[in-house]
Amino acid sequence: MSRFFSEKYDMLVPYVPGEQPKDMQYVKLNTNESPFPPCEKAAEYACKAAKRLQLYSDPECRDLTKTAAEYFGIDKDEIIFTNGSDEILNFAFMAFCDKNIPAAFPDITYGFYPVFAQLNGVPYEEIPLKDDFSINIEDYFGIEKTVFIANPNAPTGIALSVGEIEQIVKNNPGNVVVIDEAYVDFGAESAVRLIHKYDNLLVVQTYSKSRSMAGARLGFGIGCKELIRDLNTVKYSTNPYNINSMTMAAGIGALEDGEYFRKCCDEIIKNREWTTEQLKKLGFIMTDSSANFVFARHPNVDGKEIYLTLKQKGILVRHFDKERLKQYNRITIGSAEQMRILTEALKEIPGVIK
């Protein structure tokens, strides 16, 4: 770092994104992207919007907000759009946490949570998952902290039920509970319907996974009007034009083509089930994933060795060095052909097949 870098960030450890190597053509199963392109409407609307790029984008995202509010059955004042769901998560740390209101989240979860806490000078508690990587919801009851829970969780893929989410929200009436639903469309149930019952619930979603728009950077949060007003205060104090015109237009198209959305999600779920069965036949042990990835280890082969061997074969998966995770690899569910290539490559790794 330079001699000008503020000392307030001396201890900041940045988030490490998944690899994006360009040295060869990879089967890319490491960043939970969709293997499918965005729907035709999304691409068409984005192209039309490109012809007006000399103008600023609408800071209120009015057309997109209207479409999304109708889609989710909420009021337009109960949703906010951001530059990917990462931005709204950061906004939530800024708006609902401070030195007197710490954050709390699982010790194994999305790696950006501790980064956002450190970036914003927020004290935080990492609550250990159980031995099976599941969340004990009672650990979050009445803790007087802003709670962040990814549901399904990452990288485990394990989901809580809406009933369990409600128990956490209900038992923290004095603090905001943020439910990060980046992977909810692949087998879990959204907590959006609870926002009219609880004023301390913020539900966060993204277009990156199930709507095939990771490159567009579009996320959103749904909550009561007062929470959304708080988040807009942060937004308008940082970057009012945080969503570009092409992304907004693509976001409308993606919501309008519900058939394509469901078809892609169903295909991912089918491919996940097939991959899970193939991995079990090879002796892998996995969590019960409700996401667009599986979290797997092999009892006879080191997790990092599997990751490195697959990389040599042109297949990228995500490996974590954290002690409880180092024997596991997170494998994004891609197309049927990509998953076939993966399983065939795994069979060639010494020790996988006895």
Side-chain angles (χ1 to χ4, degrees):
M1 64 184 67
S2 79
R3 60 191 176 92
F4 306 104
F5 195 56
S6 174
E7 64 179 16
K8 66 184 176 183
Y9 296 129
D10 278 351
M11 304 304 292
L12 182 62
V13 179
Y15 175 74
V16 180
E19 295 174 277
Q20 304 280 358
K22 303 295 184 183
D23 57 318
M24 63 181 288
Q25 185 69 38
Y26 287 93
V27 175
K28 200 165 176 295
L29 305 175
N30 66 324
T31 50
N32 298 339
E33 297 149 315
S34 172
F36 310 116
C39 69
E40 291 184 8
K41 268 192 174 183
E44 176 189 342
Y45 289 5
C47 286
K48 289 181 179 178
K51 297 176 181 179
R52 303 187 302 275
L53 289 183
Q54 77 276 18
L55 303 175
Y56 280 111
S57 57
D58 176 10
E60 296 181 44
C61 304
R62 281 170 288 191
D63 291 341
L64 176 56
T65 295
K66 180 177 182 294
T67 302
E70 293 172 356
Y71 182 92
F72 288 102
I74 58 175
D75 189 88
K76 61 182 178 61
D77 295 328
E78 295 173 331
I79 187 168
I80 178 176
F81 280 92
T82 53
N83 193 295
S85 59
D86 289 337
E87 185 175 55
I88 193 166
L89 290 169
N90 189 30
F91 285 176
F93 274 91
M94 295 170 70
F96 307 125
C97 305
D98 55 37
K99 63 181 181 180
N100 298 314
I101 307 173
F105 39 82
D107 65 334
I108 296 172
T109 190
Y110 184 33
F112 234 138
Y113 298 161
V115 177
F116 286 141
Q118 293 165 24
L119 180 67
N120 292 292
V122 172
Y124 63 94
E125 178 185 5
E126 295 181 293
I127 299 176
L129 297 179
K130 294 191 289 186
D131 290 342
D132 64 357
F133 294 124
S134 64
I135 290 173
N136 178 12
I137 63 171
E138 293 182 2
D139 288 342
Y140 295 86
F141 289 3
I143 59 175
E144 298 184 351
K145 297 176 174 69
T146 302
V147 175
F148 293 82
I149 290 179
N151 193 52
N153 197 13
T156 66
I158 299 173
L160 295 173
S161 68
V162 171
E164 290 172 313
I165 293 294
E166 182 170 11
Q167 286 300 309
I168 295 173
V169 177
K170 184 166 65 174
N171 282 281
N172 287 283
N175 293 90
V176 174
V177 175
V178 180
I179 303 300
D180 181 357
E181 296 186 341
Y183 306 102
V184 74
D185 295 317
F186 301 106
E189 185 181 358
S190 176
V192 166
R193 62 180 173 85
L194 297 179
I195 68 148
H196 294 134
K197 189 174 181 181
Y198 300 98
D199 66 355
N200 62 324
L201 172 63
L202 177 67
V203 179
V204 173
Q205 290 194 19
T206 178
Y207 277 67
S208 294
K209 320 300 181 183
S210 59
R211 299 189 192 278
S212 303
M213 284 176 50
R217 311 309 304 132
L218 185 60
F220 58 93
I222 297 176
C224 73
K225 296 178 182 181
E226 290 76 16
L227 289 186
I228 300 304
R229 191 178 301 123
D230 295 340
L231 293 165
N232 270 313
T233 297
V234 173
K235 168 188 166 178
Y236 282 92
S237 301
T238 52
N239 182 13
Y241 304 102
N242 61 335
I243 312 296
N244 71 73
S245 300
M246 294 175 67
T247 291
M248 273 191 270
I252 293 171
L255 287 178
E256 287 182 354
D257 196 341
E259 182 179 352
Y260 183 80
F261 160 73
R262 193 65 262 162
K263 178 182 177 182
C264 290
C265 289
D266 289 346
E267 185 70 14
I268 292 294
I269 292 169
K270 183 178 75 172
N271 292 347
R272 183 185 69 210
E273 292 173 352
W274 182 88
T275 302
T276 297
E277 288 306 309
Q278 299 306 308
L279 292 178
K280 285 180 179 178
K281 290 176 183 177
L282 295 176
F284 281 87
I285 297 168
M286 288 157 287
T287 55
D288 185 14
S289 176
S290 296
N292 67 334
F293 56 81
V294 293
F295 193 55
R297 69 176 177 88
H298 198 283
N300 303 323
V301 189
D302 180 73
K304 192 161 190 175
E305 180 182 344
I306 291 174
Y307 154 71
L308 291 173
T309 304
L310 287 174
K311 187 175 181 179
Q312 291 174 352
K313 293 176 178 291
I315 302 169
L316 291 177
V317 298
R318 188 77 188 263
H319 182 75
F320 301 90
D321 289 325
K322 200 168 185 177
E323 184 61 32
R324 289 181 69 188
L325 306 181
K326 65 182 182 179
Q327 292 306 320
Y328 286 82
N329 285 290
R330 191 194 68 193
I331 304 169
T332 301
I333 300 300
S335 67
E337 176 63 11
Q338 287 176 321
M339 305 323 292
R340 185 194 65 77
I341 292 171
L342 168 76
T343 54
E344 291 302 314
L346 287 170
K347 292 176 184 178
E348 298 174 0
I349 298 177
V352 168
I353 298 179
K354 292 184 179 180

